[in-house]
Amino acid sequence: MDIFPQSLKNHRVQLGADVENGEVHWEPIRSLWFSAMALGALVGGALTFSWSAFALFVVTTAFVLLCGHSLGMHRKLIHESFQCPKWLEYFLVYCGVLVGLCGPLGLLRTHDLRDYAQRQKACHDFFGHRRAPLVDAWWQLHCELRLRRPPEILVEARVAEDPVYRFLQKTWMLQQLPWALLFFAIGGWGWVFWGVCARVTAGVFGHWLIGHFAHRHGDQAHIVEGASVQGYNVPFAALLTMGECWHNNHHAFPGSARLGLYKGEWDPGWWMLLILQRIGLVWDLKTPADLPVREELRYVRAVPCVNAGCGQA
């Protein structure tokens, strides 16, 4: 049985290895980056609170999560679930860099390794968020997993050799600096703490928190047989995550641009794509009906799907 979806094979080549045995080690750069941002958010944000700074936090966080992480990094760069002009792709991915997780190449490699591991019959607890929340938070926010025999992650040349993506990968932390200077010039330190530190902290911490629940608890409409880690939907976070919380749907159809597949599953990322499609900026939006049938996918819920193809197996 081939348990690696064709939607990912079209992008990267992954050669099998051991994704079960390895050690978790403290990663200084990741840890210090998140700790500094969290400290600035908690201490600096508390000392400089204003309603204008808080509004800046809400607007900028929502914007980079929607346009950057959900559309740019995840649905476009990683899964190629829609097409758009190159300048728009660059803009969306740049917004994704501003979330503060890492650069585009680093995020792509991390995603592919995790995706590959979760679809094997067994994998390390790090990939499945199986440990208690405090342990998992420490692992995911401050550490890295060093596998004894990791798979080789080969990023396609279209991305790996792109000068814009290479530049963003090298400077992803520094990309916060121009915005910090602009916010300081307009609103002082309060705008810096809320518009940069709090935004990055919310994006990084929220990415872990939703990922933890989305691999442990929630609703399921599909089971990927043979996979050691299953996805779960987290309905309460639909708007906060721009639709990324429908993780069971995503595990089933990773190449779909639409993540909210069933009635009542709000998906702001999909709504934005429909708007962009209407004005001609995106096209070829993929849904489950457009994807190859997966023999290992089992449909386990008799709920009407809003798009044909959800109950394909």
Side-chain angles (χ1 to χ4, degrees):
M1 179 186 298
D2 184 355
I3 59 174
F4 201 64
Q6 186 66 34
S7 60
L8 289 181
K9 287 180 183 176
N10 290 340
H11 290 269
R12 276 79 60 187
V13 177
Q14 305 221 10
L15 304 179
D18 182 0
V19 293
E20 188 175 7
N21 297 297
E23 294 77 38
V24 178
H25 294 268
W26 180 60
E27 207 292 296
I29 295 178
R30 174 185 298 179
S31 181
L32 293 175
W33 169 255
F34 177 73
S35 297
M37 288 295 173
L39 183 65
L42 294 173
V43 177
L47 294 176
T48 61
F49 175 82
S50 68
W51 287 110
S52 66
F54 181 74
L56 178 68
F57 161 74
V58 172
V59 172
T60 56
T61 301
F63 185 81
V64 298
L65 288 179
L66 173 60
C67 295
H69 181 70
S70 184
L71 299 191
M73 289 291 203
H74 196 204
R75 307 192 203 203
K76 176 55 181 170
L77 185 66
I78 293 174
H79 291 290
E80 279 287 312
S81 63
F82 66 91
Q83 299 302 315
C84 67
K86 196 66 177 181
W87 66 264
L88 181 57
E89 178 182 329
Y90 284 150
F91 173 73
L92 295 175
V93 171
Y94 167 73
C95 291
V97 170
L98 293 180
V99 174
L101 285 166
C102 61
L105 301 182
L107 186 64
L108 194 152
R109 291 190 180 97
T110 299
H111 179 280
D112 279 9
L113 175 59
R114 186 179 298 270
D115 241 25
Y116 176 80
Q118 290 176 351
R119 285 175 169 81
Q120 305 311 303
K121 293 181 179 180
C123 68
H124 194 282
D125 287 349
F126 183 91
F127 295 120
H129 297 270
R130 296 192 185 104
R131 295 300 180 92
L134 289 180
V135 174
D136 190 51
W138 170 253
W139 278 8
Q140 305 293 336
L141 297 174
H142 298 276
C143 302
E144 65 178 0
L145 173 64
R146 298 176 188 172
L147 293 169
R148 295 172 190 172
R149 290 189 297 109
E152 184 180 4
I153 307 297
L154 300 178
V155 180
E156 60 177 336
R158 181 190 74 84
V159 177
E161 298 176 6
D162 189 296
V164 174
Y165 292 144
R166 292 169 68 91
F167 172 75
L168 290 176
Q169 180 62 38
K170 292 179 180 179
T171 64
W172 68 271
M173 290 185 184
L174 295 177
Q175 295 303 322
Q176 306 293 342
L177 185 58
W179 294 100
L181 295 174
L182 176 63
F183 292 157
F184 180 79
I186 297 174
W189 282 109
W191 274 38
V192 175
F193 288 130
W194 283 92
V196 177
C197 297
R199 169 176 52 78
V200 170
T201 301
V204 176
F205 184 81
H207 184 265
W208 161 73
L209 185 63
I210 296 301
H212 180 80
F213 284 105
H215 293 99
R216 292 171 61 96
H217 310 285
D219 173 67
Q220 286 184 305
H222 316 89
I223 296 292
V224 181
E225 295 182 339
S228 59
V229 180
Q230 301 293 331
Y232 298 86
N233 292 327
V234 188
F236 74 87
L239 295 180
L240 292 175
T241 64
M242 307 303 165
E244 295 290 325
C245 67
W246 307 116
H247 207 60
N248 179 255
N249 301 346
H250 179 61
H251 269 230
F253 307 102
S256 175
R258 184 173 193 167
L259 302 183
L261 300 177
Y262 299 90
K263 185 177 180 180
E265 294 183 347
W266 293 358
D267 186 356
W270 175 251
W271 301 341
M272 177 58 73
L273 285 175
L274 292 179
I275 293 173
L276 293 174
Q277 182 185 51
R278 175 157 295 194
I279 60 178
L281 287 180
V282 304
W283 58 90
D284 192 21
L285 275 63
K286 294 183 175 62
T287 64
D290 304 311
L291 304 177
V293 173
R294 298 178 62 188
E295 295 180 359
E296 71 278 14
L297 187 63
R298 182 160 56 90
Y299 190 62
V300 297
R301 187 176 68 184
V303 177
C305 177
V306 296
N307 181 265
C310 298
Q312 61 171 310

